[in-house]
Amino acid sequence: SESDPIAVAVGAASSSVPAIYTRRFTSDWQVLRDSVANSTFNDLAAVYSAPNYQIAAVGPNGVIEMSNNSGTNWATYTVPGPQALNGIQLLGTDGWAVGANGTAMYSTAVGDGLETAPDWVWTSATTPPDSSANLNDVAFNLMGRGWAVGYNEVDTRGEMWYSRDGGVNYTNQPFVDISGNDDNLYAISEDGYVFLYDPTTSNWTDITPSYSGLDSAWTSNPTLHGILTLEDVVYVVGEFEDGVDENDGVLLSYTSGTWSKMNPNNGVSFTNKPLLSIGQLASDDFIWIGSTDGYLISYDTSLFAYAETTCDADGVVDCANLDRLAVMSHSGTTYVWLGSFDGVLYQYDTD
């Protein structure tokens, strides 16, 4: 507690040396064990101490050890497998643990979670398919939204999983694009999530829209590809699988906390045109959007008008998907640079 602060340390155990120690700021280090726990010692790799006298520790043999009274009494749980556990968090009557081979657990205390002998029920979460990531840590907020982070040795890349439902289900959350203005930073994931980072508080906030509220046909999240942040509006592009033909393009705007679906005009259509990239010259009113088959779409933010052209219109054959886009100005002329999946770079003179 704040009036009686405690430091907790964990580590490897032996047949005669326990793995959890505590030190109150007014005394020396002490062993955190009761007579029941002393019968078996477990190696421990991580520990979490909550303000309400709760302590939880996890280790490489799949063990979760928990105390609700600053280490006086303990309860031991073992996850299925068992798999090595590397991280744990408690928040009131909820808890989360993560570890090797994509192991993610969630728990809710039976009762208020503060009984002398902890009584928690640990359940395996639904995790992303085909993932063998070694998860190292986990963090949730009071809204039941949280992240698990780790490393995938098979794909040799870092992984970040995200949950919106208290750790019951996770999705893989690799950011595919990021953009910011003077006030905030925005990031999108391929599976349709949008996050806002406030540098003044160092907090990430999930601002993913309710897609079905924007379009009743969007019964699942669109795939997102690009994001552009201006002074007072954020634009996001992507595609939605309609189950008929090639996916349709998606263009969204976010202003003053409100999401809107943007529909083209002037004969421009997003049907069968996944939108892959977006950009703007700082001094220009036009937003430029790259699509499949060489389509380049412009949106005039002052006149709210759309137009489009293709690589074929300028005599370039075999137009590719324009999945990377940058806008620049040189000697008074604005150019759109477009990169394709197959490594071809196009230049479009907007004048």
Side-chain angles (χ1 to χ4, degrees), residues 35-93:
S35 57
V36 175
N38 272 331
S39 61
T40 303
F41 296 117
N42 297 298
D43 291 346
L44 297 171
V47 63
Y48 187 89
S49 179
N52 54 359
Y53 303 101
Q54 292 176 311
I55 301 173
V58 295
N61 54 1
V63 164
I64 303 173
E65 302 211 23
M66 303 183 67
S67 172
N68 287 336
N69 50 16
S70 299
T72 302
N73 299 96
W74 290 88
T76 301
Y77 307 87
T78 303
V79 303
Q83 297 288 346
L85 297 177
N86 303 320
I88 189 166
Q89 182 195 13
L90 301 180
L91 197 58
T93 58

Side-chain angles (χ1 to χ4, degrees), residues 16-331:
S16 59
V17 180
I20 305 180
Y21 297 87
T22 181
R23 183 178 188 270
R24 298 179 186 275
F25 287 177
T26 57
S27 63
D28 295 327
W29 286 98
Q30 300 175 5
V31 174
L32 280 188
R33 289 290 178 176
D34 63 11
S35 57
V36 175
N38 272 331
S39 61
T40 303
F41 296 117
N42 297 298
D43 291 346
L44 297 171
V47 63
Y48 187 89
S49 179
N52 54 359
Y53 303 101
Q54 292 176 311
I55 301 173
V58 295
N61 54 1
V63 164
I64 303 173
E65 302 211 23
M66 303 183 67
S67 172
N68 287 336
N69 50 16
S70 299
T72 302
N73 299 96
W74 290 88
T76 301
Y77 307 87
T78 303
V79 303
Q83 297 288 346
L85 297 177
N86 303 320
I88 189 166
Q89 182 195 13
L90 301 180
L91 197 58
T93 58
D94 296 312
W96 303 270
V98 295
N101 297 313
T103 300
M105 310 292 296
Y106 66 95
S107 178
T108 299
V110 177
D112 62 8
L114 301 177
E115 293 83 0
T116 299
D119 189 6
W120 293 64
V121 178
W122 288 91
T123 306
S124 296
T126 301
T127 58
D130 303 323
S131 179
S132 57
N134 289 319
L135 301 174
N136 296 321
D137 208 354
V138 62
F140 274 79
N141 61 25
L142 292 172
M143 301 296 293
R145 297 177 178 179
W147 286 263
V149 295
Y151 182 73
N152 192 316
E153 295 182 354
V154 177
D155 298 329
T156 61
R157 59 179 172 82
E159 288 206 12
M160 180 171 67
W161 295 1
Y162 177 63
S163 174
R164 307 182 78 187
D165 56 9
V168 178
N169 297 279
Y170 285 90
T171 58
N172 206 338
Q173 288 289 309
F175 289 156
V176 295
D177 201 8
I178 194 166
S179 179
N181 54 25
D182 292 339
D183 299 317
N184 296 299
L185 186 69
Y186 299 85
I188 58 172
S189 68
E190 190 175 51
D191 53 356
Y193 292 95
V194 187
F195 302 94
L196 178 152
Y197 178 76
D198 184 346
T200 61
T201 62
S202 300
N203 289 329
W204 284 96
T205 302
D206 181 354
I207 59 169
T208 304
S210 172
Y211 288 109
S212 60
L214 299 176
D215 189 323
S216 59
W218 292 351
T219 55
S220 59
N221 289 6
T223 299
L224 302 182
H225 296 300
I227 185 169
L228 173 67
T229 304
L230 305 183
E231 182 177 352
D232 55 359
V233 61
V234 178
Y235 296 97
V236 175
V237 295
E239 60 185 293
F240 184 78
E241 183 176 358
D242 60 8
V244 178
D245 202 344
E246 190 172 1
N247 295 350
D248 295 338
V250 171
L251 176 60
L252 306 174
S253 66
Y254 180 74
T255 307
S256 301
T258 300
W259 285 98
S260 300
K261 177 190 176 185
M262 300 182 65
N263 297 308
N265 53 30
N266 291 341
V268 177
S269 173
F270 293 162
T271 302
N272 299 335
K273 291 193 188 80
L275 306 184
L276 305 177
S277 54
I278 184 169
Q280 186 202 39
L281 188 67
S283 59
D284 198 354
D285 289 331
F286 286 89
I287 291 173
W288 299 90
I289 301 168
S291 182
T292 55
D293 300 325
Y295 276 98
L296 178 62
I297 299 169
S298 67
Y299 173 66
D300 188 331
T301 60
S302 61
L303 299 178
F304 310 106
Y306 293 81
E308 69 180 7
T309 185
T310 68
C311 295
D312 289 331
D314 292 331
V316 180
V317 297
D318 297 329
C319 291
N321 297 335
L322 306 177
D323 69 319
R324 292 293 182 267
L325 181 153
V327 185
M328 65 171 291
S329 178
H330 178 67
S331 300

